[in-house]
Amino acid sequence: MAILLVWVGSLWLVGAEPPPTSDTSNNGSLTRDSMRDLFEHSETPVIITERDRVVIANHAARALLGAHIIGQDVRMALRQPEAVRLIERGSDGTAIVRNLARRHDIWRVNRKTMNDGLAVIEFVSKTAEADISRAHTDFVANASHELRTPLASIIGYVETLQEDVEHLQPAVAERFLGTIHRESKRLQDLVSDLMSLSRIEAEKHDLPEARIELAGLVERAARDGAGSERADRLEFTSEGSFWVRGDEQQLEQLVRNLVDNALKYGDADKPVSVAVEQRSENRVRIVVTDRGDGIPAEHVPHLTRRFYRTDPGRSRASGGTGLGLAIVKHIVERHRGRLDIESTPGEGTRVTVSLPLESEQQVD
């Protein structure tokens, strides 16, 4: 009897229909809900169209184009001739679109067709690449101009000396040689600053590891920056010893650049103060203050740009390369610090560099 029951049960199992499987797809393609979930949190803007009407736009696309695009004809949503031509071709393709959401932005628009009149449109930002390329081009052009100026002066005076060497008066020759020496020194300083900036940029993602006592370093670098001929104008104060993680050579260069700028452009009859003080429990700051003519407010946001000068003639006459504050900015960024510049015309300029303190105020 037991054997008979087992045999009947096995026949029933063989003949029974298999349980229905859950169908989450439509003819092997993704459903609309699954596509919405798939793309929603992508950082790349993505929209999905059905017969050229937007049916899905992820969070990044809504932020870029606005939530109102859902339900719109995609050509009306984009309103760019290059994008419209891509849509109207009705096939896979790519277009470069400018000024899509903001002036001067650049996007690569990729379109991929699917079944049932669906298409996926992806937006890849190329703005940063274009900005980097433009900055590189501007930098090369500015550097070339800055290098050509002293070279042209040197070549001109040398040619004059060569052409009239027999009849040239000693006083004139001495003046010419002095100009050649001054322009050569300027050229040397410019090349040195360009190399420094290149090294700092190459290391900007590498956190410094050396443990440094900041007050002593700042005092030493400030006196080096002032030199013996300007040392009497320097005032240094410190609230104590402060330990930071840093690159000693770069931090010294930062202080020398700030002190040199303050002494060059500050009032020659007034002192330049350099202070090291604790800003909070976990930050220390270096403050360099001059009492000079100050800088107009419209120039302050641009001071850390390469080769930017508020007064080109005065800067070149004082031997400036136009790279000092650009170098300072990159050093501060590498040390995860903050740079602030405040200036009041007629009163002077105050530059503050804030750096993170080490947790312990003593050497291991």
Side-chain angles (χ1 to χ4, degrees), residues 45-49 52 54 57 61 64-66 68-70 72-88 95-102 105 107-111 120-123:
V46 176
I47 63 176
I48 297 173
T49 63
D52 294 338
V54 179
L64 176 67
L65 301 169
H68 65 277
I69 66 170
I70 298 176
Q72 278 191 343
D73 186 301
V74 67
R75 291 164 291 191
M76 291 295 296
L78 299 182
R79 298 174 182 270
Q80 294 292 333
E82 296 86 354
V84 171
R85 283 194 289 270
L86 173 64
I87 303 303
E88 290 180 343
I96 300 297
V97 176
R98 300 174 185 272
N99 306 316
L100 180 63
R102 290 173 295 276
D105 65 357
W107 295 85
R108 188 182 72 218
V109 181
N110 302 320
R111 184 177 189 270
V120 178
I121 300 176
E122 174 192 43
F123 301 83

Side-chain angles (χ1 to χ4, degrees), residues 130-142:
D131 289 343
I132 292 171
S133 177
R134 184 164 49 251
H136 175 73
T137 301
D138 291 344
F139 174 71
V140 171
N142 288 329

